[in-house]
Amino acid sequence: MDFWTDSTPYLTLNPRLPQVEVTRLQRIFDALVLKLSGHICLTTSGTQRLKLVAIQKSALLLAAGSVNQAIDSNDADVWLNPLPLFHVGGIGINARAFLSGARVIMLEKWSVQACLAILVDQSITLMSLVPTQLFDIVVEGHYCPPKLRHVFIGGALLSDCLRDRALALGWPIRSCYGMTETGSQVICEGEVYSHARVRLTDQETLEINSDALLTGYCGESECYGDVEIKDPKTVDGWFDTGDRVTIDPFGRVTVVGRRDDFVKIGGELVSLQRVNLLWNDACLMLGVKSGSHLVAISDDRLGHVIGLHSVDMDLADVIDQYHQQCLPFERIRF
């Protein structure tokens, strides 16, 4: 039987996880395997407690079908997949290809030169990237190969500066939003895919209703170490993503940032994701490829201040460029 149509549950883990975590996650999966017919279990990031996300294969295929319909994908397409298969983005590409009959070529290790070579040699028509990978391509000034017709950008917010630079080089980028719990993409260029409905909570976070949502979180019980599945959806099937968004009168969604990504600096609410977009823009403007990012540091007087974490010592020009774009309370203090 085919992987996508049989009832066998499947666990996919990052091979770089410590063995102690692999053992515990495998135990969780083994204890629930009879309850998870036709599911894929993936790890979820940003949580302190060890847990898996269980999502039905049929849910992943539903989300994949909406993407294929939106871009009119068929068996003439060729996907380049530079995303790992233990991540919902990588699995989502394979699900789309299964439905459309398209080919998939894996890029096992990220490299701009390897990516560009495959795009040309294999006449790639579709691809997904995270913003960091797009940055690597754009900062080197590479133009888009002629056969590529859609590049989905997800995993983090895309800055206007990086978008404009990519479009100027001919890259047909489409900014998308999704997460493990939504079966990969659910919004693209602000438009909600046909399989989903969205609304705002009182805290202005995004709620989603769809048959492509997760079945539940699988984790160890806090009390007895038992293994259980917890469904985070409300009674009427809505899932709170925790992401701050705006929805315009025409239903277009703009993602602002994670609810827990905001900190107070001198009474001002600051998005760490937004200031990192500004920092990456400063790097892009100066042609600097730097393993650096901005963080929030606790401060007795202001609550928090912005600090720079970097392996590069000489970033004075980039810091100056960032300070020209940021608000006064967002300046780098450490």
Side-chain angles (χ1 to χ4, degrees), residues 260-281:
D260 52 7
D261 181 55
F262 288 77
V263 296
K264 283 289 186 73
I265 299 179
E268 300 285 350
L269 198 61
V270 175
S271 166
L272 292 178
Q273 194 165 37
R274 192 190 77 83
V275 295
N276 271 290
L277 287 179
L278 295 179
W279 174 256
N280 289 337
D281 284 352

Side-chain angles (χ1 to χ4, degrees), residues 6-7 9 29 39 62 68 75 83 100 109 178 184 231 243 271 277 286 301:
D6 71 18
S7 60
F29 178 76
H39 280 67
L62 176 62
N68 284 346
D75 59 5
L83 306 177
S100 68
K109 185 177 181 180
S184 192
D231 185 352
D243 288 320
S271 166
L277 287 179
L286 297 176
R301 179 172 176 268

Side-chain angles (χ1 to χ4, degrees), residues 176-187:
C176 59
Y177 168 85
M179 55 201 310
T180 305
E181 290 87 343
T182 65
S184 192
Q185 290 186 44
V186 71
I187 298 168

Side-chain angles (χ1 to χ4, degrees), residues 21 36-37 43 70-71 74 80 87 95 104 111 116 164 172 188 229-231 261 266 274 291 304 310 314-315 323:
E21 291 195 6
L36 297 174
S37 177
T43 52
I71 61 175
N74 55 51
L80 177 59
H87 187 278
V104 179
S111 157
L116 293 172
D164 292 344
C188 186
I229 300 176
K230 289 187 177 180
D231 185 352
D261 181 55
R274 192 190 77 83
H304 293 88
S310 176
D314 187 16
L315 291 173
H323 284 166

Side-chain angles (χ1 to χ4, degrees), residues 9-21:
Y10 188 75
L11 174 65
T12 174
L13 297 176
N14 186 336
R16 298 177 66 181
L17 279 175
Q19 185 56 48
V20 63
E21 291 195 6

Side-chain angles (χ1 to χ4, degrees), residues 39 86 94 106 108 129 138 151 158 176 186 193 213 267 271 275 281 299 325:
H39 280 67
F86 56 80
N94 282 6
M106 293 295 301
E108 299 295 340
L129 297 173
V138 170
V151 182
L158 178 66
C176 59
V186 71
Y193 283 122
L213 293 174
S271 166
V275 295
D281 284 352
D299 182 83
Q325 304 174 75

